[in-house]
Each structure stands twice: as structure tokens, then as C-alpha cells.
Amino acid sequence: MGIVRLIAILLVASGAAGQQKGSATSSNIPEPKLPVIDYDACPGKRAPIPDVKLVKNGLIYSSPDKGKLVARLSAGEKVTVLAGANVIRQPDRAVIRYVSRDDTSWPPLDAGDTVLGYGWHVNGNAVFWAKGVWFQENIEAVAEKGECGFTSGLGPAGCATDIVKDGVIEWWVQVKTSSGVSGWVLAIRYNDDNRWYRWYGNFYDLLQDHCSLD
């Protein structure tokens, strides 16, 4: 199924002992406190990506959440991209359609259970939380409101997890200007169906060329 454990990128909730079956929100374990910030989002903390040209004006903030404005960017300017972060202000809600009993990285879930979605990890996998456990799902096994879009061979519909309600998730990019100013720029903020291939703006080419999502 291509699912791997999510290792130390988000706050982990309290232990899973004594959990009852059902949705992520029906257990006695509180949901992660919002916003949840994943500093290991696309394009990761690998080698800096130089000469990323901006197609419109932008703003640089000191942090991805409640940061102070530190500089302004102009269309045509080039920056170096240092890292990425996802800021989850409201998680997606997804329904489990198919469960592999052989996969020990998942929490104890059944088909029909509701889980919470927290954006996309740098490796391209979708990040989910349920019953106090963080786990990942391969992009080819995640549907959007019943539309799978991939042929993965998992379950009758081809996808194991179906995002049925969009949350509010932002993708931020850490940049450094030619003058040495560094900070965070909001690249995408989505809370509707336009999260896939309909967004064009600063860092769209970065999304295509250096991320596993596009």
C-alpha cells in the first residue's frame, strides 16, 4: 500500500491504550492542537534551490504562523528556496474505504472510520492522524470526494482513503533574497476543491519540478 510511518515531524498525542473503535474524533484522545505545522514539507531541507523567479509580488514573514512582515517581493525577482512548511489550520476529514490487515504502521482502523488529514509530507505521501497515531498514505491510494484518479489496485475503487471534506491548509516556502533577507512566503492556501492542478502563481514551477505531488 506504500504506507510508511510519520517520524517526528508533528506533535504526537498521548498513548493509544484503551481506545474504542470508531472515528478519529470518537475516541477519548484529543485531536492535535491547531495550527499544526510540519516543517518537513515540500521541497524539504535538502540543497537550496536558487534562482526561483517570481511571477507576482509577494510578502516575506518571519515565520509561517503569526510572523512579522520583514520584506516585500516584486514580480520578476529571483529568490533562493531553502525549505517548505505546511500549516494546518483545519485538517481534512477522510473516510477509510479499504484496510490492509498486513500493514502494522496503521492505527486500528476499520472501513468506514473517519480520520483527519494534515497535508502532504516532503516524500509526497498524505499525512493522517487517528486515535492518537500519525501515519502516512501513498498518494496513489488517496481519493478526493470519491474520485480516485489512480490505478493502484487497492480495494474495489482503487483508493484506500477518501478525503470527503477539505480543511484549511497552507503551504509556505522559506526563501532568501539576493540582498540576504530570509523568511517565509505563503505559496498556497487552499480550503476548497482547487488544491490539485488549478493554481498558478509564485512557486508553481517549484511544485512541479521539485515536489512529489505534481
Side-chain angles (χ1 to χ4, degrees), residues 141-163:
V142 178
E144 287 271 349
K145 296 182 175 65
E147 296 184 10
C148 187
F150 295 94
T151 304
S152 61
L154 300 176
C159 280
T161 308
D162 186 7
I163 296 175

Side-chain angles (χ1 to χ4, degrees), residues 78-114:
K78 292 184 178 180
V79 297
T80 297
V81 173
L82 306 175
N86 288 327
V87 178
I88 293 84
R89 304 199 180 277
Q90 188 66 41
D92 295 331
R93 291 191 177 267
V95 174
I96 300 299
R97 304 298 186 193
Y98 172 81
V99 176
S100 171
R101 296 300 179 186
D102 297 329
D103 197 317
T104 59
S105 68
W106 269 35
L109 296 172
D110 295 309
D113 281 353
T114 299

Side-chain angles (χ1 to χ4, degrees), residues 42-44 48-54 58-64 70-74 77-85 171-187 202-203 206:
C42 169
I49 303 171
D51 299 326
V52 177
K53 187 176 181 179
L54 306 179
L59 302 173
I60 299 180
Y61 292 90
S62 58
S63 73
V70 296
R72 297 178 183 274
L73 298 169
S74 301
E77 187 175 351
K78 292 184 178 180
V79 297
T80 297
V81 173
L82 306 175
W171 175 44
W172 290 73
V173 176
Q174 187 182 31
V175 303
K176 185 176 182 179
T177 68
S178 58
S179 62
V181 176
S182 62
W184 293 87
V185 179
L186 177 61
N202 291 333
F203 311 112
L206 175 74

Side-chain angles (χ1 to χ4, degrees), residues 7 19-20 27 54 56 77 83 85 93 106-108 116 121 137 143 159 164 169-170 182 184 189 195 206 213-214:
I7 302 175
Q19 299 174 53
Q20 62 184 23
S27 69
L54 306 179
K56 61 180 182 180
E77 187 175 351
R93 291 191 177 267
W106 269 35
L116 304 180
H121 189 48
E137 177 74 278
C159 280
V164 296
I169 299 176
E170 298 170 351
S182 62
W184 293 87
R189 185 179 192 272
R195 68 175 59 197
L206 175 74
L213 309 184
D214 220 22

